[in-house]
Amino acid sequence: MAADRADGDRESDGDRELDGDFSRTSPLMGEDQFKASCAKEMALLSLMEKTGYNMVQENGQRKYGGPPPGWEGPTPPRGCEVFVGKIPRDLYEDELVPLFERAGRIYEFRLMMEFSGENRGYAFVMYTNREAAQRAIQMLDNYEISPGKFIGVCVSLDNCRLFIGSIPKDKRKDEILEEMSKVTDGVVDVIVYPSSTDKSRNRGFAFIEYESHKAAAMARRKLIPGTFQLWGQSIQVDWAEPEKDVDEEVMQRVRVLYVRNLMLSTSEETLRQEFSRFRPGCVDRVKKLNDYAFVHYRCREDAVTALSLMNGAQIDGATVEVTLAKPAGLKEGGARGRRYSSSSSSCSRGFMGNVPGGRGRMMGGAGDGSPPLRTMSSRLGSNFYSGADDDPDRCVFPLFPGTPLSPTSPLSLKKSQISSAVSLLDYYCLKCCWSAPEYHLYSTPGQDGKLLLLYKVVIPSTRSTYFPDKLCLLLDVAKELAAQTTLWNLETA
């Protein structure tokens, strides 16, 4: 899981140096509450005095350090920051900082705060080097920080990319780039995917790359849906899912290519022939899905050679994009790719796959502190391939006559054996001794006349109701999205 940045996209409540008056204490609070508040203030002041770090509250977050005392040089590079989720609301820096200092020297600790003075349940910890960030993930992910309360720790990545939807399908990349550069600052690139049936038209959406997270956040704030139009029509704007990092050592062993922008009519046999033309017989197998495919090679050297030869090549009239595929199910960037966390977020720094971002927004959360984003992988395909795809016999085994079979409770399974959010939610309810979740289907007509679907999830045992924030075309996708949303809310409750 990875998380996306949470700064610069929230109304500021002003910068306040923490000098002994940084808690908003109501004169109406009880004596016990007042004493607890004073004790917490004293604990924070003691931490600052002991470490020499400064602490400032701004934009709905409290920043400790950044830089630390005596720091010289630039801000630590990408990969030095981790996202911390599911923090108990009554824990603060005086307890959190010493815990995370076990992994290495902290450059900056940012705790997201409510106006009331409580924390918002998540934080970002930037270390002075990548090794410390990786140690923090290994040491503290799923760490029991208080009885029955486990925190989640994953890599945090800057998000500089926005998703723009509902754009005219006849617009070319250069036209979109020109228009977006007129209305927003800091645009560096536009990514547009051609239609799978007509390569001269786009799919009605694009990804806009900005020079910094701040530039992207400002653009997102400006392009508010319903108040801003491009080419005379309203657009959809959201964070794009941050690129998932895979360990470099793992990528050095990959021998599978991800091929995108194929014609629907292109066959697996055609791909086998094209991608083995330089060395007949070097392709092990090909798996094509809609307008993208995975080409498996017998050795890595041939995969690397094919990558250099085939990227940008013409196949059946389409110019294809070729990259090394990323193995799924591994600890991406040192973080576990949980299914129900960056597009958001999937906070614009939220869990990658563990925030409402798994809800149909490009996973990852927005810098406005709303953890979450949108996932286009169901339409675009993804360059992550599963271990099962790499080894088809890995997850399926023959059933021989006479094989003994025993009734099994789902509670005896490991979570790694459950691949869908729907099944995982059933497992969660069963483990909590709750009745099964109820799914209620709703629909609404879309702009193009297609029926859009949404499931409401009801947990009868807790009388709780959960809605995803996105509509879906496909029934199964809508149900999976609803289950992901529910899981995220249950995990953060």
Side-chain angles (χ1 to χ4, degrees):
M1 75 187 159
D4 182 30
R5 197 173 187 116
D7 59 4
D9 196 24
R10 179 187 172 96
E11 288 299 320
S12 172
D13 58 356
D15 296 1
R16 291 188 290 130
E17 196 75 39
L18 302 195
D19 56 3
D21 186 27
F22 48 83
S23 175
R24 299 179 183 270
T25 305
S26 168
L28 300 178
M29 68 169 55
E31 182 178 350
D32 290 342
Q33 288 179 292
F34 179 74
K35 288 180 179 179
S37 176
C38 289
K40 186 59 65 178
E41 290 184 14
M42 294 303 297
L44 294 178
L45 289 171
S46 176
L47 173 68
M48 293 162 61
E49 183 177 351
K50 177 183 176 181
T51 63
Y53 280 66
N54 291 324
M55 198 179 291
V56 176
Q57 183 155 327
E58 60 180 1
N59 298 337
Q61 59 187 317
R62 199 155 64 198
K63 296 203 298 185
Y64 168 87
W71 178 266
E72 294 183 2
T75 302
R78 178 185 173 97
C80 293
E81 188 173 68
V82 298
F83 170 83
V84 187
K86 297 187 285 186
I87 300 173
R89 298 299 180 101
D90 58 352
L91 287 187
Y92 298 93
E93 293 88 345
D94 58 304
E95 296 180 73
L96 295 169
V97 166
L99 175 65
F100 281 87
E101 279 181 333
R102 297 180 191 174
R105 188 184 184 195
I106 292 175
Y107 177 87
E108 178 183 75
F109 188 103
R110 295 187 292 124
L111 182 63
M112 303 300 117
M113 301 296 295
E114 299 283 9
F115 186 80
S116 64
E118 283 190 329
N119 80 62
R120 301 175 66 198
Y122 66 100
F124 300 93
V125 187
M126 182 180 290
Y127 289 92
T128 55
N129 56 69
R130 291 189 179 95
E131 292 73 23
Q134 291 300 312
R135 275 196 301 274
I137 293 168
Q138 294 165 5
M139 293 169 54
L140 300 173
D141 186 32
N142 207 34
Y143 176 83
E144 188 172 12
I145 198 166
S146 60
K149 300 291 185 180
F150 297 84
I151 57 173
V153 183
C154 68
V155 69
S156 175
L157 302 174
D158 285 328
N159 196 356
C160 302
R161 184 176 294 181
L162 293 182
F163 163 84
I164 307 294
S166 298
I167 62 176
K169 294 185 178 182
D170 60 349
K171 298 301 179 183
R172 303 185 308 274
K173 174 178 178 175
D174 58 331
E175 293 177 291
I176 299 171
L177 177 61
E178 180 181 2
E179 190 68 18
M180 292 305 299
S181 298
K182 287 179 183 178
V183 298
T184 60
D185 297 325
V187 177
V188 295
D189 193 19
V190 171
I191 301 169
V192 183
Y193 296 97
S195 167
S196 57
T197 55
D198 183 352
K199 298 301 180 183
S200 66
R201 296 171 63 82
N202 70 63
R203 298 191 184 188
F205 62 88
F207 297 96
I208 315 299
E209 188 79 20
Y210 288 87
E211 61 187 9
S212 67
H213 172 78
K214 183 177 181 180
M218 295 301 292
R220 179 175 177 267
R221 182 180 297 180
K222 182 177 181 180
L223 303 173
I224 299 174
T227 64
F228 195 91
Q229 293 188 336
L230 286 179
W231 297 290
Q233 63 186 61
S234 297
I235 58 171
Q236 301 170 16
V237 182
D238 213 333
W239 289 102
E241 179 178 357
E243 184 68 19
K244 300 179 184 180
D245 289 335
V246 174
D247 188 84
E248 190 173 338
E249 291 184 9
V250 173
M251 291 303 295
Q252 290 296 324
R253 300 193 296 270
V254 171
R255 50 186 176 84
V256 182
L257 298 183
Y258 171 64
V259 187
R260 183 167 57 195
N261 197 32
L262 294 167
M263 298 295 291
L264 292 178
S265 59
T266 299
S267 67
E268 291 182 353
E269 184 57 35
T270 296
L271 292 174
R272 180 186 292 273
Q273 292 174 4
E274 293 292 336
F275 279 83
S276 62
R277 194 177 298 279
F278 69 96
R279 188 192 296 274
C282 63
V283 172
D284 181 27
R285 66 182 183 276
V286 177
K287 179 65 176 178
K288 183 172 183 284
L289 303 161
N290 297 320
D291 60 347
Y292 65 96
F294 294 98
V295 181
H296 297 249
Y297 283 85
R298 302 184 192 281
C299 68
R300 176 177 169 80
E301 291 72 19
D302 288 338
V304 173
T305 300
L307 173 62
S308 63
L309 293 174
M310 297 302 295
N311 187 32
Q314 291 273 327
I315 298 180
D316 290 344
T319 302
V320 299
E321 298 176 31
V322 184
T323 60
L324 284 172
K326 297 181 179 181
L330 299 174
K331 289 189 177 182
E332 298 145 13
R336 292 180 191 140
R338 294 186 178 90
R339 286 183 173 269
Y340 52 94
S341 142
S342 173
S343 175
S344 219
S345 65
S346 241
C347 27
S348 230
R349 272 188 188 187
F351 289 125
M352 187 173 286
N354 194 11
V355 292
R359 315 185 283 200
R361 301 200 321 170
M362 255 6 264
M363 238 165 36
D368 54 8
S370 52
L373 308 172
R374 157 182 338 215
T375 298
M376 299 300 300
S377 58
S378 60
R379 290 201 285 173
L380 291 181
S382 168
N383 62 340
F384 280 75
Y385 69 99
S386 68
D389 190 40
D390 193 33
D391 183 1
D393 296 327
R394 179 178 171 186
C395 299
V396 180
F397 302 89
L399 176 63
F400 296 108
T403 299
L405 298 174
S406 305
T408 301
S409 167
L411 291 177
S412 65
L413 303 177
K414 296 179 179 178
K415 282 190 177 181
S416 59
Q417 293 179 278
I418 305 173
S419 62
S420 76
V422 172
S423 297
L424 195 58
L425 180 56
D426 289 339
Y427 173 89
Y428 189 104
C429 292
L430 191 61
K431 189 174 181 181
C432 294
C433 298
W434 295 345
S435 56
E438 298 176 357
Y439 293 85
H440 301 269
L441 183 63
Y442 296 86
S443 66
T444 185
Q447 293 182 350
D448 56 1
K450 294 181 179 178
L451 195 64
L452 302 178
L453 307 174
L454 177 146
Y455 270 107
K456 176 181 76 173
V457 179
V458 177
I459 308 294
S461 299
T462 62
R463 299 181 181 179
S464 301
T465 300
Y466 304 98
F467 277 95
D469 64 352
K470 299 296 171 185
L471 299 161
C472 301
L473 277 172
L474 302 178
L475 187 68
D476 290 343
V477 174
K479 192 170 186 178
E480 184 76 1
L481 192 58
Q484 287 175 350
T485 303
T486 306
L487 283 165
W488 180 82
N489 280 281
L490 290 172
E491 286 289 324
T492 57

